[in-house]
Amino acid sequence: MNLQTGEYYWPTTFSSPPSYPSLNSDEDCDVLIIGGGGSGAQCAYYLADKGLNVIVVEKEKVGCGTTSTNTALIQYMGEKLFINLVHTFGEEYISRHLQLCKQAIDEIEQASQSGGIDADFKRRDTLYFASCPEDVQKLEEEYLFLKAHQFPLDFLSEEEIGKKYPFKKPAAIYSYNDAELNPFKFAHTLFACAAEKGVKIFEQTEVNGKKFENGGATIRTKTGHTIKAKKVIIAAGYEGMEFKKEKKASFVSTYSVVTNPVSDLSAWHNQTLIWETARPYLFARTTADQRIIIGGLDEDTFYAEERDSKLMHKKEQLIHDFQKLFPSIQVQAEYYSAAFYGGTVDGLPIIGEYDEYPNTHFLFGFGDNGTVYSMILAKIIAELVVNGSSPDAELYYQHRPLLAKHSLT
Ligand SMILES: Cc1cc2nc3c(=O)[nH]c(=O)nc-3n(C[C@H](O)[C@H](O)[C@H](O)COP(=O)(O)OP(=O)(O)OC[C@H]3O[C@@H](n4cnc5c(N)ncnc54)[C@H](O)[C@@H]3O)c2cc1C
């Protein structure tokens, strides 16, 4: 799958990451994780130290997939408002999901310090502004819902926004304690931590043959070796859809730029994460070396050629839209990319379990908060593997519409 095109910033921030051998023998294991991106790393992190023989295979190098283009705003609020999710799933269901998102951010913080590589995790507040007056009411309803669930946040008027930022917007939610990180270093630190605890990681080891049976799976690699596994986790990111097409998932095209480092960010209140209610939206954050990441302007296409043909125009547009918000912070794009971006029809990520893949869990952490969702799913999948059950798995199975509106207890 042609996932993305462009110049990627994150790999340049870590010039000598740990490297791992390719597989050159046949192996047996308890758990095989396919995919060496952020979500494979999150699974390895939760499964290390559980007395299991765990293997990870990555067809290229760790972190070279979508993990390299992930803009890594670490938030619980997502593209679909919680008030809309409540309409689909009911309040009890979504309250639990919300709690799990919050917990996942705390665990991402902990995990980011696990493997001796600083993943530049930093707590940040978020400004989520109404792009037009018509969006104020739904934003206020979202604020009231989150406030009722004890989330620390404020509702800002146009005047209050104007006092903190060099722009005015009709209203905004200001939420506390989200975060940003470096997703490439994050994947590496989790794998380093897992490897230290005995997880075997193989790079340049592509799975290209598979036989799934009730007793376990036999996986073949491109280099002709086999891995027999009692359980398999497919954490191949958007390429997981090449193993099994999930009807509830779909792709759009998205764009991002990373600017030159900026010496003066004082106009940017608390270097908040910024995004908006407009669709397609614009979002922005800063990095550890004072660059600015600007992204969004999604296009409804799943053709790589069409996606890429718009890249130069989108690059200009992202910079232009950012300068309208912060005219005093003059920037140029130093890195820019176009990428596919996966979402789900109902707004929740998916744990796929399918009859033709016994003993296998598909981690589809799709959505704008993919890093947070993958952390939730990786933890649940680890519980399913180790204990045979997880109290929260039902929230995310692909067949969940049957559960919608039903009480979870
Ligand atoms: C532009 C963009 C911006 C985003 N911004 C955010 C954001 O701000 N916040 C957020 O939380 N999320 C964001 N996301 C989502 C986030 O990037 C993803 O959720 C996350 O990176 C997915 O990680 P992954 O490990 O699942 O996928 P990947 O990083 O793609 O890893 C999958 C790995 O599997 C390997 N693989 C595939 N097939 C095989 C095979 N047959 N054999 C062996 N290995 C295989 C691939 O080589 C790859 O390395 C964004 C996504 C995009 C595209």
Side-chain angles (χ1 to χ4, degrees):
M1 192 186 276
N2 175 342
L3 281 179
Q4 54 203 21
T5 317
E7 304 276 329
Y8 312 133
Y9 163 64
W10 299 119
T12 70
T13 64
F14 194 24
S15 53
S16 306
S19 72
Y20 299 95
S22 62
L23 184 70
N24 58 13
S25 59
D26 294 345
E27 295 278 342
D28 271 284
C29 63
D30 296 311
V31 190
L32 172 66
I33 300 170
I34 301 176
S39 58
Q42 287 160 318
C43 292
Y45 170 78
Y46 281 121
L47 282 169
D49 233 0
K50 295 282 185 296
L52 295 169
N53 178 3
V54 180
I55 290 181
V56 181
V57 288
E58 162 54 48
K59 69 176 176 175
E60 293 177 32
K61 302 290 281 178
V62 160
C64 69
T66 307
T67 298
S68 286
T69 41
N70 181 356
T71 48
L73 284 77
I74 305 300
Q75 297 169 300
Y76 58 91
M77 269 191 280
E79 200 168 328
K80 218 163 205 159
L81 294 175
F82 285 107
I83 48 170
N84 294 339
L85 288 172
V86 166
H87 282 168
T88 314
F89 294 101
E91 182 150 357
E92 189 185 353
Y93 196 114
I94 292 309
S95 302
R96 180 63 188 149
H97 169 62
L98 190 48
Q99 254 180 336
L100 290 173
C101 289
K102 186 172 180 295
Q103 200 176 305
I105 298 178
D106 293 342
E107 295 194 18
I108 287 171
E109 179 170 27
Q110 248 179 322
S112 69
Q113 289 144 13
S114 65
I117 298 160
D118 183 357
D120 297 331
F121 180 97
K122 192 161 177 52
R123 289 285 177 175
R124 292 283 186 206
D125 301 336
T126 293
L127 183 82
Y128 180 26
F129 65 74
S131 311
C132 60
E134 295 73 43
D135 289 346
V136 171
Q137 193 188 337
K138 67 179 179 192
L139 207 58
E140 192 166 8
E141 284 171 32
E142 182 78 346
Y143 160 76
L144 291 171
F145 174 79
L146 290 166
K147 197 81 186 162
H149 286 80
Q150 272 75 53
F151 276 77
L153 69 179
D154 299 323
F155 196 71
L156 303 186
S157 65
E158 181 170 348
E159 202 187 341
E160 287 165 324
I161 296 169
K163 280 189 192 149
K164 292 184 195 298
Y165 297 89
F167 51 83
K168 284 198 170 178
K169 297 289 169 187
I173 292 178
Y174 188 96
S175 63
Y176 297 88
N177 231 14
D178 284 327
E180 66 187 31
L181 58 65
N182 177 326
F184 186 75
K185 290 184 179 175
F186 180 63
H188 271 290
T189 202
L190 265 55
F191 276 130
C193 168
E196 180 82 22
K197 294 176 177 170
V199 171
K200 289 192 233 165
I201 300 161
F202 297 102
E203 291 180 320
Q204 278 153 347
T205 301
E206 178 168 355
V207 169
N208 73 343
K210 52 201 184 294
K211 189 165 160 199
F212 288 82
E213 292 164 317
N214 281 330
T218 306
I219 298 298
R220 285 207 159 62
T221 68
K222 214 170 172 179
T223 45
H225 295 291
T226 58
I227 306 169
K228 290 195 171 166
K230 293 189 188 120
K231 304 265 183 197
V232 177
I233 300 171
I234 301 190
Y238 302 151
E239 289 170 295
M241 295 273 270
E242 293 188 337
F243 288 80
K244 171 74 190 172
K245 184 143 179 44
E246 168 48 55
K247 291 195 291 284
K248 286 217 183 83
S250 64
F251 294 102
V252 295
S253 293
T254 190
Y255 302 87
S256 61
V257 302
V258 182
T259 71
N260 55 305
V262 173
S263 55
D264 182 6
L265 285 167
S266 56
W268 190 325
H269 177 72
N270 286 347
Q271 289 174 236
T272 37
L273 312 178
I274 294 181
W275 65 299
E276 61 170 330
T277 56
R279 298 292 180 266
Y281 49 68
L282 183 86
F283 62 83
R285 58 161 279 195
T286 53
T287 66
D289 60 350
Q290 303 246 116
R291 294 172 191 270
I292 296 162
I293 301 179
I294 312 156
L297 303 184
D298 298 0
E299 285 279 335
D300 202 5
T301 179
F302 186 51
Y303 294 103
E305 247 177 46
E306 193 180 338
R307 176 196 72 198
D308 297 346
S309 69
K310 300 188 178 191
L311 175 55
M312 298 316 279
H313 170 68
K314 295 287 184 179
K315 175 185 105 170
E316 302 301 329
Q317 187 72 42
L318 287 166
I319 296 285
H320 173 263
D321 290 357
F322 175 79
Q323 299 288 197
K324 275 201 335 207
L325 293 175
F326 291 100
S328 69
I329 306 177
Q330 283 298 310
V331 289
Q332 301 96 43
E334 285 198 354
Y335 303 87
Y336 46 95
S337 59
F340 289 139
Y341 156 74
T344 62
V345 289
D346 60 15
L348 293 187
I350 294 170
I351 296 174
E353 292 196 353
Y354 308 96
D355 291 345
E356 66 273 35
Y357 287 98
N359 303 305
T360 300
H361 307 283
F362 282 75
L363 190 162
F364 290 125
F366 293 5
D368 49 345
N369 291 328
T371 311
V372 174
Y373 299 157
S374 292
M375 199 71 184
I376 297 173
L377 301 191
K379 186 172 184 188
I380 292 174
I381 290 172
E383 286 168 1
L384 292 172
V385 166
V386 175
N387 308 326
S389 66
S390 162
D392 294 309
E394 291 289 325
L395 273 75
Y396 300 107
Y397 282 139
Q398 82 276 10
H399 53 68
R400 60 185 169 237
L402 302 172
L403 297 169
K405 306 255 186 199
H406 288 202
S407 167
L408 291 171
T409 50

